[in-house]
Amino acid sequence: MEKHPSYANLSPYLVKYPQVAGALFQTYNDLKLAQQWTGLEIIDVPSCSRCALRGSRPNTEEPLSVVPCSLSESLSTDWIRTTFRELGGPPHVYLAINTEDSSIVYYKISPGIVKPPL
Amino acid sequence: MSLIGPSRSKGGQKAGARRAENNRIYAHPLPLAFHSSDSAPSRLLALFGISSTRLENPHCEGIFDPATRSVWVINERDSTILWRRGFFGKGDLSRSEPSWLARQINARKAAGKYMTSEEIREKRRAERRQFKLDRAAAIARAAAEAEAAFAEGREAVPVAIPSGATWKPSSSTAESSLPSAPPDAEGEESESDEGEPEEEPLENVEHLQLTLQEAWFLVWNLDCLTVLDPQSNEPMSLRQIWHAFQSVHCIPPELPVYAHRFDNPFLVHYAAYHYYRALGWVVKGGIKFCVDYLLYKRGPVFHHAEFAVVVIPVYEDPADQASSPFTLPNANTFSWTWLSTINRVNSQVQKTLILTYVTIPAQSRVSLELLSSPACLAHYSVRDVVLRRFIPARMRD
């Protein structure tokens, strides 16, 4: 992992939160290299003991927040509420669930009931 | 030709050629291949019962990554062999086969001759978005028409609302449909591109990621993979690999509570993985369908997965579960809502649900020393239950 080009940006956070290091690394690479998100920045969220990522989809300006987690973790609604608070109350947050075979499943979480767009 | 409806053959000749191409590329079900020479001397030897069949072992190499709990195969020759012979692993920046470099090159050329599966997926999603917009507009029109008709006291003129089967992409969205990439042609294109880069040359930052179960299967059963230690870059011995793969789940590894546990998640999942692989199924991860594994008859390129497997660990001795430091998912009795949800999700995508019960041996009955080698796997039993929803009104026969 150390030889990967993304390691330099991530190394302080990978060391700080070793339990979610794999999830953060995989999500960062997926957003930056595969989905080609722009303006990707890492936000430290100590109360959830992990980092969140914020960036925008290619050709859009709207910043989207992504919280990586791994399949083996168990989450609670309290955790989700804390995440929303720490990230400054965005309209929605994407939860990136990482697996060992490098598949990532993204879930969009909004506080409250949201009607589907179409 | 809409991508969102059920696919019909796009003209017998193209589909047949692609099938033949796939049969040629994915001919070997496992990385080990048998080669028999058909020369006169070997046929003579065959009369005496001496076979000329040789076993080809590709000797692939991977590096163990504890943070992502996986084995990375970085060099392209090995990742291609492991993918094409048995569909092991997944490109970490791709849907399945490592195709990130090909997609970047396609994007740069902006007129890629072949589409990768990710690009087909994007096209399908764009079509589905357009279909939803058309449908919403038609529903709004129907509602407005009904309102107007009611106000005027006449019958409403029926408005056709498109459904998935009846909608056709409009001519603006239907660009020339590009054939999906035969992998050989892609390889040649990317090589010829390296010679004349417009921007800086692309470094392939993608690797093939093997789960610990896949890696152990290749290392122990087929002996075609070498796993390197991430710190020292030295090949790990079988014993070291066996212990390392179990201790990734123990955080921190030195705690005595983790010692001698039969319910280590690696062991439980490996029992199920080995069971299905040994029966000849191609086993891939099933997170997209809320299950643990998907079973493919020949491989993902041939047909969609027929079965979705949920691994349910069962403790032979309940005291083991009480003292367990691991919280294995699905170890407790499940509710009907959970079962119905998973069954519904998978019925929607035409997959049959299989519940795979893996019985974890009791620490009181089986000697704990067995855990130091794969011999302990003989004590796990795997039973599977196939689940189908029965609707009495519809299923009369």
Side-chain angles (χ1 to χ4, degrees), chain B residues 3 10 99 102-103 106 112-124 175-182 186 189:
Chain B
L3 284 172
K10 294 178 190 168
S99 65
R103 296 200 311 271
N106 273 358
K113 278 175 40 207
Y114 299 99
M115 288 208 288
T116 54
S117 71
E118 283 81 2
E119 285 152 5
I120 297 178
R121 177 188 61 184
E122 288 314 305
K123 186 158 178 283
R124 185 177 66 234
E175 301 137 24
S176 56
S177 62
L178 307 172
S180 61
E186 261 191 82
E189 274 191 61

Side-chain angles (χ1 to χ4, degrees), chain B residues 136-263:
Chain B
I139 291 177
R141 265 203 313 277
E145 169 64 26
E147 286 293 320
F150 184 72
E152 293 167 22
R154 59 173 170 85
E155 287 283 322
V157 174
V159 175
I161 297 178
S163 71
T166 56
W167 183 82
K168 292 278 181 300
S170 65
S171 49
S172 55
T173 49
E175 301 137 24
S176 56
S177 62
L178 307 172
S180 61
D184 274 353
E186 261 191 82
E188 285 156 20
E189 274 191 61
S190 55
E191 278 162 23
S192 63
D193 261 10
E194 308 292 24
E196 34 165 2
E198 297 159 343
E199 300 140 34
E200 78 245 18
L202 270 177
E203 181 202 345
N204 191 3
V205 286
E206 190 176 25
H207 59 262
L208 186 81
Q209 188 150 328
L210 298 169
T211 59
L212 299 180
Q213 286 78 22
E214 288 175 326
W216 181 250
F217 182 81
L218 292 169
V219 163
W220 181 48
N221 292 283
L222 303 180
D223 193 27
C224 61
L225 182 71
T226 318
V227 180
L228 303 180
D229 183 86
Q231 253 68 48
S232 63
N233 267 334
E234 292 295 315
M236 295 165 75
S237 73
L238 212 60
R239 186 171 293 276
Q240 284 174 322
I241 298 175
W242 176 246
H243 285 288
F245 282 8
Q246 286 178 72
S247 55
V248 277
H249 293 278
C250 309
I251 306 145
E254 313 84 39
L255 281 187
V257 72
Y258 287 123
H260 302 137
R261 297 289 324 187
F262 283 105
D263 59 349

Side-chain angles (χ1 to χ4, degrees), chain B residues 210-366:
Chain B
L210 298 169
T211 59
L212 299 180
Q213 286 78 22
E214 288 175 326
W216 181 250
F217 182 81
L218 292 169
V219 163
W220 181 48
N221 292 283
L222 303 180
D223 193 27
C224 61
L225 182 71
T226 318
V227 180
L228 303 180
D229 183 86
Q231 253 68 48
S232 63
N233 267 334
E234 292 295 315
M236 295 165 75
S237 73
L238 212 60
R239 186 171 293 276
Q240 284 174 322
I241 298 175
W242 176 246
H243 285 288
F245 282 8
Q246 286 178 72
S247 55
V248 277
H249 293 278
C250 309
I251 306 145
E254 313 84 39
L255 281 187
V257 72
Y258 287 123
H260 302 137
R261 297 289 324 187
F262 283 105
D263 59 349
N264 188 295
F266 166 70
L267 295 174
V268 173
H269 279 269
Y270 185 72
Y273 183 86
H274 184 104
Y275 175 73
Y276 288 109
R277 267 285 179 188
L279 287 172
W281 295 98
V282 171
V283 185
K284 305 297 295 176
I287 180 70
K288 289 194 196 93
F289 301 105
C290 308
V291 293
D292 289 311
Y293 294 117
L294 295 177
L295 301 182
Y296 293 87
K297 197 152 158 229
R298 281 182 74 190
V301 302
F302 294 103
H303 199 266
H304 292 299
E306 243 195 81
F307 295 104
V309 169
V310 177
V311 174
I312 301 185
V314 175
Y315 285 87
E316 191 188 328
D317 183 359
D320 285 345
Q321 188 169 10
S323 65
S324 172
F326 307 110
T327 35
L328 291 177
N330 303 325
N332 300 313
T333 47
F334 53 76
S335 65
W336 280 111
T337 47
W338 174 88
L339 184 66
S340 294
T341 311
I342 303 217
N343 198 21
R344 188 69 124 169
V345 165
N346 283 289
S347 309
Q348 207 94 27
V349 288
Q350 282 134 30
K351 294 192 204 311
T352 306
L353 186 64
I354 297 184
L355 302 177
T356 300
Y357 289 88
V358 177
T359 307
I360 301 169
Q363 285 185 314
S364 49
R365 180 178 64 85
V366 183

Side-chain angles (χ1 to χ4, degrees), chain A residues 1 3-5 19 22 25-26 29-30 33-34 36 71-72 99-103 105 118, chain B residues 65 67-70 72 90-93 100 104 132-133 205 209 211 233 249 251 285 287:
Chain A
M1 193 194 270
K3 302 199 192 81
H4 197 277
Q19 292 223 36
F25 183 77
Q26 279 179 191
N29 282 331
D30 184 56
L33 300 168
Q36 317 251 290
L71 194 56
S72 49
T99 57
E100 294 173 5
D101 72 342
S102 79
S103 304
V105 178
L118 287 171
Chain B
D65 186 72
T68 51
R69 294 181 184 169
S70 56
W72 295 9
K90 174 188 167 292
D92 77 315
L93 299 173
W100 179 80
Q104 301 307 305
K132 284 187 176 173
L133 283 168
V205 286
Q209 188 150 328
T211 59
N233 267 334
H249 293 278
I251 306 145
I287 180 70

